Amino acid sequence: MKVSIGIDIGGTGTKFGIVTLEGKVLYQGAIPTQTEAVFADYIHLLSNEIRKGLDQEKHELIGIGVGAPNANYHKGTIEHAPNLRWKGILPLAKTLEDEFDVPTVVTNDANAAAVGEMIFGGAKGMKDFIVITLGTGLGAGIVSNGQLVNGANGFAGELGHTTVTYGNGRFCGCGKRGCLETYVSATGIKRTIYKLLADYTEDSALRSVSFDELSPEMITKYALKGDIIAKQAFEYTGRILGTKLADTVIHTDPEAIFIFGGLSQAGDLIFNPVKEHLELNLMPVFKGRVRVISSQLQNQSAPIIGASSLIVDKLKKDEISIDVD
Amino acid sequence: MKVSIGIDIGGTGTKFGIVTLEGKVLYQGAIPTQTEAVFADYIHLLSNEIRKGLDQEKHELIGIGVGAPNANYHKGTIEHAPNLRWKGILPLAKTLEDEFDVPTVVTNDANAAAVGEMIFGGAKGMKDFIVITLGTGLGAGIVSNGQLVNGANGFAGELGHTTVTYGNGRFCGCGKRGCLETYVSATGIKRTIYKLLADYTEDSALRSVSFDELSPEMITKYALKGDIIAKQAFEYTGRILGTKLADTVIHTDPEAIFIFGGLSQAGDLIFNPVKEHLELNLMPVFKGRVRVISSQLQNQSAPIIGASSLIVDKLKKDEISIDVD
């Protein structure tokens, strides 16, 4: 049976899976990301863990797909990732190719999520769509003409760093101020709760919670109970995302925008204001034409399936047969 | 010799040319756009004018490319163009195919300019770039992965209608307020002159000019003479364009942004503030990586060459030989 390996490298943990070309996870595992001081040692450790799941008689390994922070699709490298201990430019694809001797495709996690949505999720058959991932930050993967938009430097789709507020916006880890992800992300909505607690005098259960303790799940829970500050935080977050997405729609004219990740689990609390303010700000010709929907790859294995889908996508491009035996 | 026809349909005039596959204009002509009450009569009139230049012995007609307002690339139609007398959906490609019996490709003028830049201009060999056209409005053509981004509805790249000012921005012909083209276009800079004349008390030669008389060429002339209002208008226009382009760069990560059309003739007056405010607002990873340059197709025949390039681009996609004999 033909299989690919999907790897999702995060700041703390690395997850991997052996996945069929139809998106079924046959085996999965995880290791901590940063125990090794030398990058090559980490890859060697990871490779040994992956081999435990590879059955040489049953599995024909076709390729490896990796979602990683600050990944350069064109070069197969991780470049200057602030949340990894290894500095500079890391030859990720090459090191994995040396271990497994199969083609390896590397991109950032939001791009991997977009390809996953296209190959295995709700974007099957779509040629123009966008996936927004709401995690610690805001990532995006843009697909146009059925292809992932990578850009000249491999950094296209970093929509978390479009600007919401010029001049005196919130400080962002990227060095700019007023970036979208400082408002719209797990961290962004926490900052908004604290802004609202500062601005208003309303009672709120969240007045007894420290910034470090506060989580999006907690904000969702209290919003559903009617906490006015928590509800207002979703309204504020959704309004900013919807408003900015109106500009994004004009760029690539997507058929749908998929929202993926923690905050999207809040359902109508976040989707309603996003849809309302997107429509309000759309150029008339686009009104009513763009669907905003939840990702259909919302489960624990989604990042692994997304990463593995990079190989299925590559095979399609290379026009190699992907018949499953 | 293999030739294509390039047609540029404007609100008042229609220009056409017979163009070699290397971009050389062999013959050109023009007719007024809206003398005929019936659309098919206009196409018939245009076709007869074109036939005057076609030499059946020398020319082998390969296809027709058209740049037109509100053009739908996917359907080959003009849809609800506010500045044309024919209402509804006009079957542009089909009517021309009936006349000439060759494939016809239709898109808006900014997209045609982008393909022209890729095939015959400064974007040769580039896979990711953007062309901004500054005319009465602001148009844009986005190329990613070497392909024009058309989008699900065929309306991608309408960057003139991204939002600069929410709530109380300038009124736009599209029905929205605060659109980029109400600030950055030939009309936009005229509106800015009048705003500045209202806001400031400085002397200016432009105080004796009516809105209807005022032209971008006049503003350029006075700015070069040191008129403070005219100079400030270019600074204001360039600041807004540069600032908004920083968001655009994040979407598709272009290698270069080409500026085409009337306002770009003002040179440093407009390019300097655009470059300065683009760099100021870029996400750090893009700083210093995006060139802002003047289009290399700046002449009277550019729209015709751009339109004809749609056919060369189509031939390349279809993998038909485009050897020139």
Side-chain angles (χ1 to χ4, degrees):
Chain A
M1 184 191 300
K2 288 175 180 169
V3 299
S4 65
I5 296 168
I7 302 174
D8 175 51
I9 301 179
T12 49
T14 297
K15 291 184 246 179
F16 63 87
I18 295 165
V19 187
T20 71
L21 301 192
E22 291 155 321
K24 190 180 165 201
V25 180
L26 302 174
Y27 178 88
Q28 59 183 308
I31 62 167
T33 299
Q34 313 200 54
T35 51
E36 305 302 308
V38 177
F39 177 71
D41 293 343
Y42 155 73
I43 294 293
H44 192 63
L45 194 73
L46 174 63
S47 302
N48 285 341
E49 287 300 310
I50 292 170
R51 281 191 196 96
K52 291 179 187 170
L54 271 178
D55 182 327
Q56 294 222 332
E57 293 198 357
K58 284 192 193 158
H59 300 155
E60 182 193 347
L61 184 60
I62 298 295
I64 303 172
V66 193
N70 290 51
N72 185 319
Y73 171 88
H74 298 305
K75 298 182 182 162
T77 50
I78 293 176
E79 301 194 2
H80 311 288
N83 60 344
L84 296 182
R85 69 184 290 180
W86 312 291
K87 300 306 163 203
I89 296 174
L90 310 171
L92 176 59
K94 192 185 171 306
T95 315
L96 280 165
E97 282 169 357
D98 288 347
E99 291 275 354
F100 291 97
D101 201 25
V102 291
T104 299
V105 179
V106 169
T107 190
N108 70 48
D109 56 348
N111 286 346
V115 177
E117 203 73 44
M118 177 164 64
I119 305 283
F120 300 125
K124 273 182 201 163
M126 289 188 189
K127 293 208 165 291
D128 300 274
F129 67 94
I130 293 174
V131 173
I132 304 283
T133 63
L134 300 176
T136 313
L138 184 154
I142 300 175
V143 172
S144 287
N145 295 321
Q147 288 179 33
L148 192 61
V149 174
N150 286 293
N153 303 295
F155 296 123
E158 289 279 354
L159 302 189
H161 303 280
T162 56
T163 305
V164 171
T165 310
Y166 292 97
N168 59 353
R170 294 182 183 172
F171 287 94
C172 182
C174 83
K176 269 179 65 201
R177 293 185 69 170
C179 291
L180 181 60
E181 75 172 25
T182 68
Y183 300 87
V184 182
S185 65
T187 320
I189 197 169
K190 286 174 64 175
R191 293 168 84 163
T192 296
I193 289 285
Y194 272 62
K195 170 200 152 54
L196 295 174
L197 290 173
D199 285 355
Y200 295 96
T201 58
E202 267 71 13
D203 278 343
S204 167
L206 298 171
R207 290 202 185 272
S208 65
V209 181
S210 75
F211 192 90
D212 285 343
E213 288 170 327
L214 187 61
S215 69
E217 295 73 27
M218 206 183 287
I219 303 170
T220 305
K221 187 182 83 177
Y222 284 112
L224 289 172
K225 283 184 182 174
D227 187 288
I228 197 160
I229 295 289
K231 281 166 66 183
Q232 202 54 44
F234 276 109
E235 179 67 29
Y236 185 92
T237 306
R239 172 169 64 81
I240 291 174
L241 179 55
T243 302
K244 285 300 285 186
L245 284 178
D247 267 13
T248 290
V249 165
I250 288 180
H251 280 79
T252 63
D253 183 6
E255 181 175 341
I257 298 171
F258 295 86
I259 315 273
F260 175 93
L263 272 188
S264 69
Q265 308 291 331
D268 287 350
L269 282 172
I270 184 88
F271 277 91
N272 284 352
V274 169
K275 289 177 188 172
E276 178 190 343
H277 290 277
L278 171 62
E279 286 295 324
L280 266 176
N281 288 284
L282 274 180
M283 180 185 174
V285 75
F286 292 110
K287 281 188 197 288
R289 290 190 171 189
V290 191
R291 286 188 294 152
V292 180
I293 43 187
S294 191
S295 164
Q296 289 186 22
L297 291 178
Q298 303 269 23
N299 63 55
Q300 290 297 317
S301 309
I304 292 170
I305 294 172
S308 77
S309 73
L310 295 166
I311 291 303
V312 181
D313 187 50
K314 180 181 157 53
L315 290 173
K316 282 191 177 172
K317 280 186 200 154
D318 296 349
E319 295 179 304
I320 293 170
S321 163
I322 56 160
D323 296 337
V324 181
D325 44 23
Chain B
M1 182 191 300
K2 288 176 180 169
V3 298
S4 64
I5 296 169
I7 303 174
D8 175 50
I9 301 179
T12 50
T14 298
K15 292 184 244 176
F16 63 88
I18 295 164
V19 187
T20 71
L21 302 192
E22 289 155 322
K24 189 179 166 204
V25 180
L26 301 174
Y27 178 86
Q28 60 183 308
I31 62 167
T33 299
Q34 314 200 53
T35 50
E36 304 303 310
V38 177
F39 178 70
D41 292 345
Y42 155 74
I43 295 294
H44 192 62
L45 194 75
L46 174 63
S47 301
N48 285 341
E49 286 300 310
I50 292 170
R51 283 193 194 95
K52 292 180 187 169
L54 271 179
D55 183 326
Q56 295 221 332
E57 293 198 356
K58 283 191 191 156
H59 299 155
E60 181 193 348
L61 184 59
I62 298 295
I64 303 173
V66 194
N70 291 51
N72 185 320
Y73 172 87
H74 298 304
K75 298 182 182 162
T77 50
I78 294 177
E79 302 194 2
H80 311 288
N83 59 343
L84 296 183
R85 68 183 291 179
W86 311 291
K87 300 307 162 202
I89 296 174
L90 309 172
L92 176 59
K94 190 183 173 307
T95 315
L96 281 164
E97 283 170 357
D98 287 346
E99 291 277 354
F100 291 97
D101 201 25
V102 290
T104 299
V105 180
V106 169
T107 191
N108 71 48
D109 57 346
N111 285 346
V115 177
E117 203 72 44
M118 177 165 65
I119 305 282
F120 300 126
K124 271 183 204 166
M126 289 188 189
K127 293 205 166 291
D128 301 274
F129 67 94
I130 293 174
V131 172
I132 304 284
T133 63
L134 299 176
T136 313
L138 182 152
I142 301 175
V143 172
S144 287
N145 295 321
Q147 289 179 32
L148 191 61
V149 174
N150 285 292
N153 303 295
F155 295 122
E158 288 280 353
L159 302 190
H161 303 281
T162 56
T163 306
V164 170
T165 310
Y166 292 98
N168 60 351
R170 293 183 184 172
F171 287 92
C172 181
C174 82
K176 270 179 64 202
R177 294 186 68 171
C179 291
L180 181 60
E181 75 173 25
T182 69
Y183 299 88
V184 183
S185 64
T187 320
I189 197 168
K190 285 175 64 175
R191 293 168 85 163
T192 297
I193 289 285
Y194 273 64
K195 171 200 152 52
L196 296 174
L197 290 174
D199 285 354
Y200 296 96
T201 58
E202 266 72 11
D203 277 342
S204 167
L206 297 171
R207 290 199 185 273
S208 64
V209 182
S210 75
F211 191 88
D212 285 344
E213 290 170 328
L214 187 61
S215 69
E217 297 72 30
M218 208 182 287
I219 303 171
T220 304
K221 187 182 83 179
Y222 284 113
L224 290 170
K225 282 184 182 173
D227 186 288
I228 197 162
I229 296 289
K231 281 166 65 182
Q232 202 55 41
F234 276 108
E235 179 68 28
Y236 185 92
T237 306
R239 172 168 64 81
I240 292 175
L241 180 56
T243 302
K244 285 298 286 186
L245 284 178
D247 268 13
T248 290
V249 165
I250 287 180
H251 280 80
T252 62
D253 183 5
E255 180 174 343
I257 297 171
F258 294 86
I259 315 273
F260 175 91
L263 272 188
S264 69
Q265 309 292 330
D268 287 350
L269 282 172
I270 184 88
F271 278 90
N272 285 351
V274 169
K275 289 177 187 171
E276 178 189 344
H277 291 276
L278 172 61
E279 286 295 324
L280 266 176
N281 288 284
L282 275 179
M283 179 184 176
V285 75
F286 292 110
K287 280 187 196 289
R289 289 190 172 190
V290 190
R291 287 188 294 152
V292 179
I293 43 187
S294 191
S295 164
Q296 288 186 22
L297 291 178
Q298 304 268 24
N299 63 55
Q300 290 297 319
S301 308
I304 292 169
I305 295 172
S308 77
S309 73
L310 294 166
I311 292 300
V312 181
D313 187 49
K314 180 182 157 53
L315 291 172
K316 283 192 178 169
K317 280 185 199 156
D318 296 348
E319 295 179 304
I320 293 170
S321 161
I322 56 161
D323 295 337
V324 181
D325 43 21

